[in-house]
Amino acid sequence: MFEYEVPANGLDLGLCVSSGQVFRWREHDAPKVYIGADGDNWYRVDASDSDLLRVTSNAGKASFERLFRLDIDAGAVKAAILGRGPELGAYMDLLPGLRLLRPSDPVEAFICFLCTPNNNVARISKMVAHLASFGPMLESSFGLQRFPEALVVASIPEAELRARGFGYRSATIPRAARALVERGGRDWLDNLKGAAYAKAFEELQSIPGIGPKLADCIALFALHHTLATPVDTHLWQAVVRVYHPEWNGKSLTDGRYRQIGEFMRERFGEYAGWAHQYLFYENLLNWRAR
DNA sequence: TACGGACCTTTC
DNA sequence: AAAGGTCCGT
């Protein structure tokens, strides 16, 4: 077990772990104290001091820094985004401390995002927690379990998930997990990690239940393809508002989906996925009020 | 290529 | 009514 202190460098951990990039973190004993699981690793983070994170974990500092991309200077990233897209300045100001995360286990991220279509974050987190209950214990005093392998998820009976309120995803989640196993499971995902973004985007959609939006989520968060810009209902609303008011009232078609991705990649380059996070999360937080 | 509807359940 | 969609019909 490790205990270490990490300079926050502006990172708002609570904001990051509730921004829909990961689903396995929660506030634990006290305000601003979080526990979470990420692949083989568990963390307890006391973020009550905004400048210094106090971490307890089974993993060393390097793993923690990778997860939150603390090796990257967020100020420089924000400056680059601002230089290419001044229109995002207001969004970045509203969400200081938001970072693009880098989850360590592609299988875990793949399956977690299978829970997200046509769903809401509260319910997604509950479903993810139930799936995690099929995995081995990671840390017993917090009750954190390692996320199960794809083969385990593929073997969960549909009725079991139906009884747990998974709805039609009771069939789609194990089916997609099975399709992942058939393609080679973790090795297949690792291979796509090394492939070009466009290749990963296409290949992922060969799995039943994975369309363009999930393919981009998985490319971004499981495979760390930072060119990926998942276009969900929130990013769509933000794009219509900021860039394409003439699309007001129209629907998100495949053509417009591709157009938005190409635009974001051209404008923000390798920071496209990071930039997308500001537009997405601001809209998620504020859409009801609009 | 674009648009509608179905699909589970929960929450606003 | 809508949720971090996808699929299948027109």
Side-chain angles (χ1 to χ4, degrees), chain A residues 115 119 123-124 126-127 130 158-171 173:
Chain A
C115 298
N119 209 348
R123 186 174 171 217
I124 293 165
K126 256 192 272 182
M127 292 166 66
H130 183 63
E158 179 178 343
E160 158 99 37
L161 295 179
R162 287 263 171 201
R164 279 287 177 161
F166 274 54
Y168 63 81
R169 301 179 193 77
S170 307
I173 293 170

Side-chain angles (χ1 to χ4, degrees), chain A residues 48-164:
Chain A
S48 54
D49 179 340
S50 60
D51 295 324
L52 194 67
L53 303 170
R54 297 183 170 81
V55 183
T56 308
S57 174
N58 66 331
K61 192 185 279 192
S63 296
F64 181 80
E65 291 176 339
R66 261 196 304 279
L67 174 58
F68 291 97
R69 295 185 192 265
L70 288 169
D71 53 320
I72 292 176
D73 177 0
V77 173
K78 291 165 84 167
I81 291 173
L82 191 61
R84 296 169 183 219
E87 69 279 4
L88 295 199
Y91 293 87
M92 293 192 287
D93 289 345
L94 284 167
L95 300 166
L98 180 63
R99 281 171 162 268
L100 182 67
L101 302 192
R102 192 177 183 281
S104 66
D105 182 355
V107 173
E108 175 174 356
F110 178 99
I111 295 172
C112 285
F113 278 99
L114 293 176
C115 298
T116 65
N118 193 19
N119 209 348
N120 57 74
V121 175
R123 186 174 171 217
I124 293 165
S125 301
K126 256 192 272 182
M127 292 166 66
V128 166
H130 183 63
L131 293 176
S133 75
F134 289 87
M137 187 58 70
L138 248 188
E139 212 292 322
S140 49
S141 67
F142 298 135
L144 290 173
Q145 287 168 266
R146 196 203 185 291
F147 202 84
E149 292 298 329
L151 185 58
V152 173
V153 175
S155 310
I156 302 173
E158 179 178 343
E160 158 99 37
L161 295 179
R162 287 263 171 201
R164 279 287 177 161

